[in-house]
Amino acid sequence: MSAGSHRTGATSAGRRLVRVASPLAALGLWQLLTSYDVDLWLRFEQFPTVVEVASALGDRIGTKAYWQDLGHSLRRIAVGFLLAAVLGVAAGTAVARSRWAADILGPLVEVVRPIPAIALVPVAILLLPTNEQGIVFITCAAALFPVLVSTRHAVRALNPVWEEAVLTLGGGRARVLFSVVLPGALPGIFGGLSVGIGVSWICVISAEMISGEYGVGYRTWQDYTVVDYPGVFVGMATIGALGWLTSTAVETLGRRVTAWLPRPTARGPAGGPARGASTSAPATPAPPSASVSAVSRPEKEPVP
C-alpha cells in the first residue's frame, strides 16, 4: 500500500475521531456544569444532568406511548414533506419555464413566502376539519417554499444549449423536461429538499405543541407543564435525532440520484491533490456548450 493511501486513511480516521469526540466533550461539559450547579450568569442548578436525562430516556423507550408519539410525528413529516416536494418541484419548474406561471404564481409566492409557517396555525384551524390535517398543512407549508425557490433558480440556471440540442434532434417539450430540465436541476432541487426537511421538523414540533394531541412535540410540552425537565430533554434529544436521520436520508438520496455528477478530488494537507492520487482529469465528454461557446450565459428566461 502506498504512503498516500496510508496518509489518506489516517486523515479519515482522525476526522471520524473528532466527530465522535465533539459530542462526547459537550456531554461531559454538560454533566460537569449541572453536577456542580454552576451559576455564573447562566444558571445550571435547575438543569437535569446527563445521567438523569439518560435514565429518563431509558424509561421512555420501554413505553408504548413513546413509540406512538414517534410514529405520529414521522407520519406527519412524511406526508407533509412529500406533498411539499411534489408541489414545490412542479411549481418551481413551471415558474422558471413559463411566463404565465411566473406572472400568476410569482407574486403570490413572494407575498406568502415571508410568513412563518407556524403563523398559519389559525388559518389551518379555520380551514381544515381536524387538527391532524392542520399539522400536515403547516408541515407542508414550511417545506414548500425552500423547495420551490431552489427549483426555480436551478431550472433558470440551466444552459439553454442543452435544450436546443434536444429540440434540434427532434425531441419535444416532454423530452426536454424529463431529459434535460429535471436531471440538470437535481442538485439544486435536493439542496432545497435538504433545507425543507429541517424546517419541516421545526414547524411540526411547534404545531404539535400548540394544537396536537400526540407526537414528540406534544409530549415534550406536556413534560414541561408538569415540570418534568428530564422528560423535556428526552423530547429535545429525540427531535434532534429524528431531524438528523431524516436530513441524512435526504442528502444520501441526493448523492445517489446525482451520482453522474463529477466529484471533487481528495485534497492533501496543503490544499493540493492527495499523495498517490492522479492529477489528470478523468476522460469525460465535454458538455454540449463547450463546443459552441466559452462565454458564460445568463439564466434562461421563461417561455410562454
Side-chain angles (χ1 to χ4, degrees):
M1 186 178 295
S2 65
S5 299
H6 281 297
R7 191 184 299 268
T8 302
T11 302
S12 300
R15 292 188 63 188
R16 285 195 293 268
L17 181 61
V18 170
R19 291 182 179 184
V20 172
S22 175
L24 290 179
L27 291 175
L29 180 61
W30 175 5
Q31 179 67 26
L32 183 66
L33 293 173
T34 53
S35 297
Y36 288 95
D37 295 334
V38 175
D39 187 359
L40 297 174
W41 185 62
L42 295 176
R43 300 171 298 173
F44 291 93
E45 65 269 13
Q46 294 185 358
F47 254 56
T49 65
V50 176
V51 175
E52 291 172 345
V53 174
S55 176
L57 176 60
D59 294 338
R60 290 288 179 88
I61 289 177
T63 64
K64 184 178 179 181
Y66 179 82
W67 298 105
Q68 287 178 336
D69 289 333
L70 256 66
H72 281 89
S73 294
L74 286 172
R75 184 177 69 247
R76 292 160 179 165
I77 280 288
V79 176
F81 181 70
L82 287 176
L83 285 173
V86 173
L87 294 175
V89 171
T93 304
V95 169
R97 299 277 299 170
S98 169
R99 288 195 180 95
W100 282 103
D103 292 340
I104 295 172
L105 297 178
L108 297 175
V109 169
E110 296 306 321
V111 169
V112 178
R113 184 161 65 100
I115 301 174
I118 199 62
L120 299 176
V121 169
V123 177
I125 293 174
L126 292 174
L127 287 179
L128 300 169
T130 65
N131 287 341
E132 186 71 19
Q133 294 174 358
I135 294 173
V136 171
F137 168 76
I138 292 168
T139 305
C140 176
L144 174 64
F145 294 107
V147 178
L148 190 156
V149 173
S150 295
T151 303
R152 181 184 66 187
H153 287 308
V155 172
R156 284 181 176 174
L158 292 176
N159 195 322
V161 172
W162 301 343
E163 178 179 346
E164 293 166 4
V166 174
L167 294 175
T168 301
L169 294 174
R173 287 182 177 269
R175 185 63 181 270
V176 169
L177 178 64
F178 292 105
S179 298
V180 174
V181 175
L182 292 180
L186 277 177
I189 291 173
F190 272 96
L193 292 174
S194 182
V195 174
I197 190 66
V199 179
S200 294
W201 274 111
I202 295 173
C203 290
V204 74
I205 296 301
S206 301
E208 288 175 348
M209 289 181 175
I210 295 173
S211 61
E213 296 178 358
Y214 302 99
V216 179
Y218 168 80
R219 193 66 57 190
T220 302
W221 183 254
Q222 292 302 307
D223 290 332
Y224 173 75
T225 58
V226 298
V227 200
D228 180 8
Y229 293 130
V232 172
F233 279 86
V234 167
M236 293 169 61
T238 302
I239 295 164
L242 291 174
W244 174 67
L245 289 174
T246 52
S247 178
T248 300
V250 171
E251 292 176 1
T252 301
L253 177 62
R255 285 193 295 269
R256 290 183 179 274
V257 172
T258 60
W260 49 272
L261 287 173
R263 303 297 180 186
T265 58
R267 296 288 178 179
R275 290 180 180 271
S278 174
T279 58
S280 60
T284 54
S289 58
S291 60
V292 178
S293 174
V295 180
S296 60
R297 297 174 180 268
E299 291 185 350
K300 181 177 175 62
E301 292 293 330
V303 297

